[in-house]
Amino acid sequence: QVQLVESGGGLVQAGGSLRVSCAASGRTFSRYFIGWFRQAPGKEREFVGSIHWSGGSTYYADSVKGRFTISRDNAKNTVYLQLNSLKPEDTAVYYCAARLDTRTEYNYWGQGTQVTVSS
């Protein structure tokens, strides 16, 4: 089982950068695929990107490709989401989630961290 805690959210101006972290507990963290999602007020949760358990492969939604980068440090049980060139439409609560198999749903979720981008 894995417990996830996001941190690093905050208020930033458009064009700025922020890095949010997802810290995990559990000895088997390195075997989990990690996804990042976000949910803006009044909108459905959307996929932002994901990273393979080895850190060798990443995937991004078209809306963030080229601006956001996901990385992981399995020794620290932490996954990072670097947000660059932020836009007001990036404002949302950002969640990380974990799953052992890409054929299943994400079954572990963090509580989320708020990212607000001012224009």
Side-chain angles (χ1 to χ4, degrees), residues 2-5 22-27 29 34 76-79 96 98:
V2 174
Q3 291 184 326
L4 305 172
V5 178
C22 173
S25 62
R27 292 176 295 175
F29 171 75
I34 302 296
K76 295 182 177 180
N77 275 15
T78 302
V79 174
C96 61

Side-chain angles (χ1 to χ4, degrees), residues 24-109:
S25 62
R27 292 176 295 175
T28 60
F29 171 75
S30 61
R31 301 295 304 276
Y32 284 81
F33 296 83
I34 302 296
W36 283 97
F37 296 79
R38 67 185 181 185
Q39 187 166 21
K43 295 187 177 181
E44 293 189 354
R45 185 174 61 200
E46 66 170 338
F47 172 78
V48 173
S50 63
I51 187 165
H52 190 272
W53 63 264
S54 69
S57 297
T58 52
Y59 303 92
Y60 300 95
D62 287 343
S63 58
V64 306
K65 199 173 295 182
R67 299 188 299 121
F68 291 7
T69 303
I70 299 173
S71 61
R72 68 189 296 165
D73 185 339
N74 286 338
K76 295 182 177 180
N77 275 15
T78 302
V79 174
Y80 304 99
L81 175 65
Q82 178 69 40
L83 302 85
N84 295 330
S85 302
L86 282 162
K87 306 174 182 180
E89 52 264 42
D90 294 318
T91 295
V93 177
Y94 283 73
Y95 300 89
C96 61
R99 60 181 177 181
L100 276 173
D101 191 324
T102 57
R103 295 168 293 180
T104 64
E105 297 292 323
Y106 285 93
N107 46 6
Y108 300 104
W109 291 82

